[in-house]
Amino acid sequence: MTTDLLKVEDLSFSYHNLSGETAALSHLSFSVKKGEFLAIVGPSGCGKSTILSLLAGLLTPEEGGITFYGKNGRKPGIGYMLQRDQLFEWRSIWKNVTLGLEIQHKLTPENKKKVEKMLEDYGLSDFAKKRPSELSGGMRQRAALIRTLALEPEILLLDEPFSALDYQTRLTVSADIARIIRSAEKTAILITHDLSEAISLSDRILVLSGRPAHVKAQVSIRLTLPDDSPLAARKAPEYTDYFNHLWEELSDEQ
């Protein structure tokens, strides 16, 4: 039986300011299995990014809770990729991708070799001495992923990491990064507004209601593919039915 890496139970959260209270999440519950690629979709402003902030420990739940590997389990290492790559222009690509290791005093010869291998595998070894502005948007996102993977997280939180890319680049880069994540056998949670992206990349999709969000539907994705390419997923015979079903669920929330 596959282990639940994390479990969210009856989770509620509100934002508070001088104007009052804004409920973001209401009695939200779901689980994620080790090695699973989960996508989360929902109306704009429904609290999708809030979920990732709670999972990362940047926010504290007001009600309910989050457990990892069972109630007494340890918290796994978590990697967080945001919409922007957050690369520092004054540092080379090498200095950027090793930043986390440097901060955590883990820049050992062994870890340096692992980073060098990732740069080579992901087509960036010739750009290690370049500045971020010298790379394309897709290459910058690959560099951001290497920086995240260098710390060997067990779970990746992906907050619309492809949204700043043009459509053609987005298709290619999202497929590449999904393949990298799967080959590294990482657990991933992706926030996206793109239903095609959610269907083609994930094993399962959570559909959230409008704010305050709760889980409205869960859709397991099973595609008949000639290969495991996310790009090929859009031509799978089941693709249209999944897309229409998700569209109908979200349309009810508009």
Side-chain angles (χ1 to χ4, degrees):
M1 188 172 93
T2 307
T3 306
D4 280 341
L5 190 153
L6 70 87
K7 193 169 188 177
V8 174
E9 296 181 278
D10 208 32
L11 189 68
S12 295
F13 183 84
S14 297
Y15 290 99
H16 302 267
N17 56 36
L18 294 177
S19 302
E21 177 180 283
T22 301
L25 308 174
S26 177
H27 304 289
L28 185 85
S29 296
F30 67 92
S31 61
V32 182
K33 295 192 179 300
K34 184 174 175 61
E36 185 176 21
F37 199 124
L38 178 75
I40 300 178
V41 301
S44 295
C46 74
K48 297 185 292 295
S49 294
T50 300
I51 295 171
L52 297 193
S53 294
L54 287 161
L55 294 176
L58 302 177
L59 297 174
T60 302
E62 293 181 337
E63 295 181 46
I66 302 166
T67 55
F68 297 93
Y69 293 116
K71 293 193 180 296
N72 298 314
R74 63 177 177 79
K75 185 174 180 178
I78 294 175
Y80 206 153
M81 280 187 69
L82 302 170
Q83 294 179 23
R84 300 288 177 176
D85 54 63
Q86 306 296 330
L87 299 177
F88 295 120
E89 181 59 28
W90 61 88
R91 294 176 71 100
S92 67
I93 295 302
W94 172 261
K95 286 286 189 179
N96 269 286
V97 299
T98 56
L99 179 60
L101 292 170
E102 182 182 321
I103 291 172
Q104 295 191 15
H105 306 290
K106 295 180 179 178
L107 200 51
T108 63
E110 181 183 3
N111 283 334
K112 285 181 181 180
K113 286 183 179 179
K114 289 179 181 177
V115 173
E116 288 171 356
K117 182 67 164 57
M118 283 193 284
L119 285 169
E120 182 180 349
D121 290 345
Y122 309 154
L124 293 178
S125 57
D126 291 340
F127 300 88
K129 296 182 180 179
K130 301 289 186 181
R131 301 290 176 178
S133 60
E134 298 178 83
L135 273 63
S136 68
M139 294 168 75
R140 290 171 65 113
Q141 282 299 77
R142 290 189 185 93
L145 179 63
I146 292 171
R147 179 186 57 198
T148 303
L149 292 177
L151 292 171
E152 299 187 334
E154 293 168 73
I155 182 169
L156 291 168
L157 306 179
L158 311 171
D159 192 353
E160 298 194 75
F162 317 118
S163 60
L165 304 175
D166 64 81
Y167 185 69
Q168 184 175 359
T169 304
R170 179 173 182 154
L171 285 175
T172 304
V173 173
S174 63
D176 285 349
I177 286 182
R179 192 179 299 110
I180 291 166
I181 290 171
R182 289 189 183 280
S183 65
E185 299 182 339
K186 299 296 183 183
T187 305
I189 300 177
L190 169 71
I191 299 294
T192 181
H193 282 96
D194 188 329
L195 296 184
S196 297
E197 190 170 85
I199 295 167
S200 62
L201 300 184
S202 70
D203 302 309
R204 182 164 53 99
I205 300 173
L206 292 187
V207 182
L208 300 186
S209 68
R211 190 174 60 212
H214 62 271
V215 176
K216 183 181 179 184
Q218 298 191 46
V219 181
S220 295
I221 304 298
R222 300 289 182 271
L223 298 174
T224 306
L225 297 172
D227 57 53
D228 62 355
S229 165
L231 293 175
R234 290 167 167 78
K235 298 180 181 179
E238 303 87 356
Y239 172 85
T240 301
D241 288 339
Y242 283 129
F243 188 97
N244 291 339
H245 175 54
L246 292 167
W247 180 261
E248 288 173 5
E249 292 284 359
L250 289 173
S251 295
D252 290 343
E253 294 297 322
Q254 301 302 320

